[in-house]
Amino acid sequence: MPDDSSPDDTLRYPVGPLPIDAPLTDDGVSAGLFEIAALPTRLAAAVAGLNDEQLDTPYRPGGWTVRQVVHHLADSHMNAYVRFRLALTVHHPAIVAYDESAWAELPDARSLPVTVSLTLLEALHARWTALLGTLDRERLRASAYRHSELGLISIERAVAIYAWHGRHHVAHITALRERNGW
């Protein structure tokens, strides 16, 4: 079968597009939980040794800079953590989507040192992983939030989404480093 993806698709989705409807297996959920726990370490390794010029390089033409990607991960995963907690304490709470691109253009996301968000992610993921570790598969499946764009999302599905999300953005950075010989 020929590869119909454009080079831009490969740069945009280096680990493939979000598999929003992929089947959820016990092994897949366990792998997702592991990936969420590992993200802070993987992200720190992906940006280790980069200078400001490199951090301010877009990962693809028209894309965010490496700096913006790091701060986006902190923004996104803070939102996810709150969404998970709401889903565990309120029956199907309504979640409003936020404008990720507008957040990435705010001055802090364009200029703040990445160490700020790396530190935030380390603490946030420690809390998030501790919370997720207390939940059995039935609770992961039964607890859900209603996303304004995606509909009803179980925590189980959201684990898969955010595991992919971290992998996706770390791959943006590592692929850029590889292409540029950094």
Side-chain angles (χ1 to χ4, degrees):
M1 177 175 219
D3 180 7
D4 293 332
S5 63
S6 71
D8 189 56
D9 284 346
T10 303
L11 294 177
R12 186 180 298 242
Y13 299 107
V15 298
L18 172 64
I20 191 73
D21 294 322
L24 298 169
T25 65
D26 286 344
D27 287 345
V29 171
S30 294
L33 294 170
F34 176 81
E35 286 189 55
I36 288 172
L39 175 71
T41 301
R42 290 179 175 164
L43 182 60
V47 299
L50 294 180
N51 62 38
D52 281 335
E53 182 180 339
Q54 293 165 326
L55 290 169
D56 292 328
T57 301
Y59 72 88
R60 67 175 174 84
W64 291 335
T65 67
V66 172
R67 185 182 312 275
Q68 287 173 298
V69 169
V70 172
H71 295 312
H72 162 71
L73 279 163
D75 292 340
S76 175
H77 289 204
M78 283 188 292
N79 274 287
Y81 177 70
V82 170
R83 290 170 177 180
F84 279 46
R85 292 183 72 79
L86 285 169
L88 290 166
T89 58
V90 177
H91 180 72
H92 299 169
I95 303 300
V96 178
Y98 67 99
D99 186 340
E100 297 173 350
S101 294
W103 284 40
E105 292 301 325
L106 291 171
D108 63 327
R110 295 190 62 78
S111 63
L112 203 62
V114 295
T115 54
V116 174
S117 283
L118 292 173
T119 300
L120 188 154
L121 282 164
E122 186 175 336
L124 176 65
H125 278 245
R127 285 280 309 269
W128 197 7
T129 301
L131 174 64
L132 290 170
T134 68
L135 306 175
D136 62 23
R137 184 77 190 271
E138 183 51 38
R139 187 81 190 266
L140 290 169
R141 190 177 294 122
S143 301
Y145 54 83
R146 188 165 302 285
H147 191 282
S148 61
E149 296 173 351
L150 302 175
L152 192 64
I153 303 289
S154 69
I155 290 179
E156 177 183 61
R157 173 70 57 200
V159 163
I161 290 169
Y162 286 97
W164 173 87
H165 187 250
R167 222 176 30 253
H168 166 73
H169 285 304
V170 167
H172 284 149
I173 297 165
T174 57
L176 174 66
R177 289 187 79 147
E178 187 175 318
R179 286 192 311 276
N180 290 349
W182 300 341

